Amino acid sequence: MDFDEVADELYGGDPAEFVSVRNQRAKEAKAAGDPALAERIRALRKPTLAASILNRRAGSPELAELADLGDDLRKAHSALAGADLRNLARRRQELVNRILRDEPSMSEPVAREVEATLEAVVADPEVAALALAGRLSSRADSTGDQWLTSGFVPQPKRKPAPEREKPATVSHLDDRRKAKQKAAEKAEEERIAKSREEAEREQKRVAEFNRLRREAAELAKACKQAEIDVSRAERRAEKATEKANELRRRLADAELEEETANGETAAAQTVLDDLRAEAQRIDEALEQF
């Protein structure tokens, strides 16, 4: 028995049969004298519905192209290639939408989980490797750079406005030129204030995004712990079932022994009663002599 063959069977099969098939393969590995393989098989986690949907698409060209886009996006981001980033981000969204359209029967929560996992395929090479191998077990969230999930594209830095030359003599400026200069200065002040407000809004948006991403990471960690707890509970339940079956077998054996003993007791009692009756008959015959 090979671990990869078992994993392919489990993650490519019906999620409803995952636990029973996994436990059966673990028992077979243990019976074959390979407890280490049995433990590895038992540690495999049941995939969520969203993970199962993507596992079935492990060999699709859309998923492979998404994984390749991740490398291209990282290279474009390092090079600050804004145009390339925009084109790659647009292509990424097209692929994600195409995969979502191919699964029209998904509920909204499952669709959101599938979309988040597809984004993670682009952002995280490890998630991409799991998706291409068809080994996803739960939702994967992007933990990469912000530009991978928020659509952020680096913009070239704006050159500072050239400093105005001061007039040689203020006294020769007419009222019209003064008004024009004041209007230009006011427009510059308003532009600076607007830029400052936009920067503050962007900072708040980024802070909110990062907060949500931390919450998502904490939820993913909690889900992972819950999966571990479920696995432990399953193992305890299996042991309890085995123990209960053993007790039922022993009870059945005891009940059979009880039934046999009761039959033997009844037969012995019948023999005893017959002997006593015969003895009484003999005693009565002796009294007549």
Side-chain angles (χ1 to χ4, degrees), residues 3-175:
F3 175 78
D4 289 330
E5 292 178 356
V6 175
D8 289 340
E9 176 189 11
L10 290 172
Y11 287 109
D14 186 352
E17 300 177 357
F18 184 94
V19 174
S20 60
V21 175
R22 179 197 64 191
N23 294 344
Q24 179 61 33
R25 296 295 178 266
K27 290 180 181 178
E28 291 173 359
K30 187 175 182 180
D34 196 340
L37 176 59
E39 189 63 25
R40 288 185 67 193
I41 293 174
R42 196 181 296 277
L44 292 173
R45 301 274 59 79
K46 178 181 177 180
T48 63
L49 179 57
S52 297
I53 291 172
L54 292 181
N55 284 337
R56 292 197 297 269
R57 302 183 65 93
S60 67
E62 293 87 358
L63 207 57
E65 187 174 350
L66 269 179
D68 292 338
L69 272 177
D71 294 333
D72 295 338
L73 278 164
R74 282 183 283 275
K75 291 176 183 177
H77 180 257
S78 298
L80 294 178
D84 291 342
L85 274 173
R86 284 188 288 273
N87 292 333
L88 291 170
R90 188 181 305 111
R91 180 56 181 162
R92 175 198 62 192
Q93 193 59 50
E94 290 174 354
L95 289 169
V96 170
N97 292 340
R98 183 187 303 174
I99 293 174
L100 293 175
R101 285 196 301 269
D102 289 345
E103 301 289 342
S105 61
M106 291 187 298
S107 65
E108 184 177 349
V110 173
R112 287 199 300 268
E113 186 174 341
V114 168
E115 184 175 8
T117 303
L118 290 173
E119 294 287 356
V121 168
V122 180
D124 191 334
E126 293 184 2
V127 177
L130 287 174
L132 294 177
R135 300 288 178 82
L136 293 169
S137 62
S138 61
R139 168 175 175 164
D141 291 303
S142 170
T143 56
D145 289 338
Q146 173 186 323
W147 57 273
L148 283 174
T149 55
S150 66
F152 171 80
V153 176
Q155 300 293 333
K157 294 183 179 180
R158 184 178 297 174
K159 295 182 180 180
E163 189 175 0
R164 289 184 174 81
E165 294 182 0
K166 294 182 179 180
T169 57
V170 178
S171 59
H172 291 87
L173 291 174
D174 56 20
D175 293 340

Side-chain angles (χ1 to χ4, degrees), residues 146 150 200-210:
Q146 173 186 323
S150 66
E200 290 175 354
R201 284 197 298 269
E202 179 65 15
Q203 288 178 353
K204 291 179 180 178
R205 190 189 68 80
V206 171
E208 178 65 10
F209 173 82
N210 291 333

Side-chain angles (χ1 to χ4, degrees), residues 214-252:
R214 286 194 299 270
E215 289 183 0
E218 291 173 358
L219 286 174
K221 184 177 180 181
C223 288
K224 186 67 176 177
Q225 183 59 48
E227 290 178 354
I228 293 173
D229 294 339
V230 168
S231 177
R232 291 173 178 171
E234 288 175 350
R235 288 197 290 269
R236 289 196 298 269
E238 290 173 359
K239 290 180 180 179
T241 300
E242 292 175 356
K243 185 176 180 180
N245 290 336
E246 175 63 19
L247 290 174
R248 291 189 187 98
R249 184 188 63 77
R250 291 170 60 184
L251 176 61

Side-chain angles (χ1 to χ4, degrees), residues 172-190:
H172 291 87
L173 291 174
D174 56 20
D175 293 340
R176 186 175 180 180
R177 187 174 180 182
K178 288 181 180 178
K180 185 177 181 180
Q181 182 177 2
K182 288 181 179 179
E185 291 174 351
K186 183 177 180 181
E188 180 66 14
E189 291 174 356
E190 290 176 351

